[in-house]
């Protein structure tokens, strides 16, 4: 039984991709070249108002930045939130309006923003970094820059003038001493110069120079950003993970070596031995999968993973689900699965990996509704008791939430307001 959502129709032209099919977009544009998409989202309405975005930027624990082209101390000054009314009063009183407010991971706080990712699920969910939203009055921008990530820049409200430059390598000249990757030289590629209206979208591949300047006093741009680990991060993190399980006795060996010509020399044969030890240790596909799933599901903000208080008991979870209760994935939580052998999969959640029945792993990572049916996703090795304790553990660590708890939280927020 498959619990997967309906597969995408990969060959139908989509408005989301400017009339390209998913297959064509992935073949010709993804990670390669930019794509301007007029009317990607028909009749688009912003899921968040500018003052709500400013409100988020004032909250503790939410990553927010203010970029001022002419800051109080220097050009392209970046300040970090949380901000307060005084910050916005100072901006209002400024002579120029060349500033931008950027709020990261709005998808962690606003369900309607999280839902914007659904049309992009032809890409792996675990590649998503976050959905960032910017606000800028007329003239505001973050300067011509490049990112290491793929991004879909969706115009939410107002207008933004986008200009694209070329692809840059590691030798791109970046302005020193500021907190942004702003390019010293930015040359617009002829023809790659557009004003985006609400619902228009621009796909920008990694390391392509881009510059977007607000053309209206209410400009809001939504960045659906995808992360890709660097080789440095992959090597360091995998070596750490693997190292923890390697026995002390597995070592460099030179049994049967030829007599050395010069005791001071590091010869080819010794290098070949250490290379063989390194590569044969690293080349372990099963361990690699266990590490990669954990690595790619690490939460963006570990501190946002909040344990449930009071802890739920297994029988309470069963009663809740059997009484038509629904579980939801915590907005900031990352889930993925990998099917293994012997009817067991690994469910990766927020940096951990646990064995799970295949249907359960798929449902938890991808299904829209998580209901009592989960309790039936058992295998010979992982019976109902194991499934109940897995689900209860996920609720208690904060990766899954009882829908009724969410309702209670909303009611409390309304009472506080
Ligand atoms: C912005 O929204 O102002 C900048 C987004 C980006 O360039 O990545
Ligand atoms: Co950018």
């Amino acid at each position: 039984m498959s619990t997967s959502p309906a597969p995408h129709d990969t060959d139908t032209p989509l408005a989301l991709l400017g009339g390209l099919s998913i297959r064509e977009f992935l073949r010709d544009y993804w990670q390669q070249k930019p794509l301007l998409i007029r009317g990607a989202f028909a009749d688009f309405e912003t899921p968040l108002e500018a003052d709500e975005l400013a409100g988020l930027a004032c909250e503790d624990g939410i990553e927010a930045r203010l970029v001022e082209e002419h800051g109080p101390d220097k050009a392209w000054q970046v300040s970090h939130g949380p901000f307060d009314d005084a910050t916005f009063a100072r901006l209002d009183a400024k002579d120029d309006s060349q500033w931008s407010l950027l709020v990261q991971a709005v998808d962690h706080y606003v369900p309607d923003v999280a839902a914007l990712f659904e049309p992009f699920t032809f890409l792996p969910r675990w590649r998503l970094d976050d959905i960032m939203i910017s606000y800028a009055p007329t003239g505001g921008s973050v300067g011509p820059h490049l990112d290491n990530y793929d991004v879909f820049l969706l115009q939410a409200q107002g207008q933004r003038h986008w200009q694209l430059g070329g692809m840059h390598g590691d030798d791109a000249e970046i302005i020193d001493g500021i907190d942004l990757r702003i390019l010293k030289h930015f040359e617009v590629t002829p023809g790659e110069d557009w004003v985006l209206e609400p619902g228009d979208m621009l796909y920008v591949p990694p390391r392509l120079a881009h510059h977007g300047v607000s053309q209206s006093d209410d400009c809001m741009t939504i960045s659906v950003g995808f992360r890709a680990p660097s080789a440095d991060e992959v090597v360091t993190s995998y070596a750490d993970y693997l190292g923890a399980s390697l026995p002390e006795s597995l070592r460099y060996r030179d049994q049967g070596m030829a007599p050395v010509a010069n005791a001071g020399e590091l010869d080819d044969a010794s290098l070949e031995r250490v290379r063989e030890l390194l590569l044969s240790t690293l080349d372990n596909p099963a361990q690699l999968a266990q590490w990669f799933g954990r690595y790619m599901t690490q939460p963006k903000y570990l501190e946002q993973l909040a344990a449930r208080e009071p802890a739920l008991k297994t029988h309470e979870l069963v009663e809740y689900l059997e009484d038509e209760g629904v579980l939801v994935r915590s907005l900031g939580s990352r889930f993925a699965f990998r099917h293994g052998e012997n009817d067991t999969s690994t469910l990766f959640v927020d940096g951990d990996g646990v064995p799970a029945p295949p249907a359960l792993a798929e449902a938890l990572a991808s299904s829209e509704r998580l209901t009592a049916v989960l309790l039936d996703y058992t295998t010979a090795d992982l019976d109902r008791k194991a499934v109940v304790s897995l689900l209860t553990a996920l609720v208690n660590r904060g990766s899954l939430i009882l829908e009724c708890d969410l309702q209670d939280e909303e009611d409390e927020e309304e009472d506080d307001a």
Side-chain angles (χ1 to χ4, degrees):
M1 169 183 14
S2 172
T3 57
S4 299
H8 290 277
D9 177 350
T10 51
D11 294 306
T12 299
L14 297 180
L16 176 79
L17 299 173
L20 296 172
S21 67
I22 289 170
R23 197 179 297 282
E24 287 166 334
F25 173 76
L26 293 179
R27 186 191 61 206
D28 299 334
Y29 291 86
W30 177 246
Q31 298 234 295
Q32 300 163 60
K33 54 187 185 193
L35 179 66
L36 169 72
I37 306 159
R38 292 280 181 207
F41 287 78
D43 305 318
F44 188 75
E45 279 183 29
T46 180
L48 197 74
E49 299 298 329
D51 56 352
E52 294 174 298
L53 189 74
L56 288 178
C58 295
E59 280 187 33
D60 264 339
I62 293 188
E63 190 184 344
R65 283 170 298 166
L66 173 66
V67 181
E68 291 173 82
E69 190 164 343
H70 312 285
D73 306 322
K74 58 177 179 180
W76 296 115
Q77 187 164 341
V78 181
S79 0
H80 297 266
F83 301 111
D84 55 21
D85 289 347
T87 316
F88 294 105
R90 177 176 73 72
L91 292 170
D92 278 346
K94 252 172 97 107
D95 291 340
D96 69 82
S97 61
Q98 281 142 284
W99 57 267
S100 290
L101 175 71
L102 312 174
V103 183
Q104 295 297 142
V106 182
D107 53 320
H108 292 198
Y109 321 113
V110 183
D112 286 349
V113 173
L116 286 174
F117 184 68
E118 290 317 308
F120 297 95
T121 50
F122 59 88
L123 296 160
R125 238 176 240 283
W126 47 262
R127 278 277 265 123
L128 177 70
D129 182 29
D130 70 349
I131 301 185
M132 189 268 274
I133 305 189
S134 71
Y135 167 83
T138 307
S141 88
V142 298
H145 68 282
L146 47 85
D147 303 306
N148 279 315
Y149 294 177
D150 303 84
V151 65
F152 291 92
L153 297 157
L154 167 61
Q155 193 58 27
Q157 181 175 283
Q159 288 82 33
R160 189 182 286 273
H161 179 198
W162 280 106
Q163 294 180 306
L164 303 182
M167 283 286 189
H168 291 265
D170 290 311
D171 56 356
E173 286 192 74
I174 305 289
I175 304 181
D176 295 329
I178 50 176
D179 220 352
L180 294 167
R181 242 180 269 106
I182 299 186
L183 292 161
K184 275 193 188 159
H185 314 286
F186 177 70
E187 205 174 307
V188 183
T189 307
E192 304 211 321
D193 184 315
W194 311 281
V195 174
L196 269 70
E197 302 282 339
D200 292 348
M201 189 164 76
L202 181 61
Y203 163 69
V204 178
R207 304 206 65 89
L208 185 91
H210 51 290
H211 187 203
V213 183
S214 162
Q215 300 281 289
S216 62
D217 276 336
D218 58 351
C219 175
M220 283 173 69
T221 304
I222 298 177
S223 294
V224 182
F226 292 80
R227 72 219 157 100
S230 68
D232 173 7
E233 289 161 338
V234 166
V235 170
T236 316
S237 168
Y238 182 47
D240 249 7
Y241 176 79
L242 202 58
S245 61
L246 292 175
E248 277 282 293
S249 57
L250 184 62
R251 279 171 185 269
Y252 175 85
R253 284 171 61 89
D254 46 15
Q255 186 188 0
M257 70 189 285
V260 294
N262 181 329
E265 186 184 4
L266 237 170
D267 65 0
D268 287 353
S270 19
L271 275 184
E272 190 45 39
R273 285 184 208 107
V274 76
R275 181 171 176 271
E276 163 54 27
L277 172 67
L278 182 72
L279 298 183
S280 64
T281 310
L282 290 181
D283 189 15
N284 182 333
Q287 289 282 50
L288 187 71
Q290 288 298 321
W291 162 76
F292 196 45
R294 285 167 172 78
Y295 185 73
M296 292 310 287
T297 58
Q298 276 168 11
K300 188 173 174 76
Y301 306 107
L302 193 56
E303 68 284 3
Q304 285 181 7
L305 193 62
R308 186 179 194 272
E309 291 280 351
L312 189 73
K313 301 203 170 63
T314 48
H315 74 90
E316 292 170 327
L317 177 83
V318 174
E319 282 159 23
Y320 172 74
L321 287 175
E322 286 183 342
D323 201 16
E324 302 197 348
V326 171
L327 296 174
V328 288
R329 283 180 286 275
S330 182
L331 284 183
S333 283
R334 291 179 164 143
F335 286 74
F337 66 85
R338 179 164 172 83
H339 292 319
E341 283 162 14
N342 306 326
D343 207 19
T344 301
S345 300
T346 306
L347 172 71
F348 299 104
V349 190
D350 291 328
D352 268 348
V354 284
L360 183 71
E362 279 193 30
L364 288 175
S366 306
S367 277
E368 269 174 38
R369 274 183 78 73
L370 303 174
T371 61
V373 74
L374 298 178
L375 301 174
D376 299 330
Y377 294 152
T378 57
T379 59
D381 288 338
L382 292 156
D383 60 8
R384 189 175 154 108
K385 196 163 168 241
V387 167
V388 169
S389 77
L390 170 58
L391 293 174
T392 311
L394 293 177
V395 170
N396 284 333
R397 68 176 294 195
S399 300
L400 289 178
I401 300 183
L402 307 189
E403 199 177 45
C404 67
D405 285 352
L406 276 182
Q407 197 52 53
D408 291 348
E409 267 173 43
E410 275 171 31
D411 293 347
E412 271 170 37
E413 275 166 28
E414 269 168 34
D415 288 349
D416 290 347

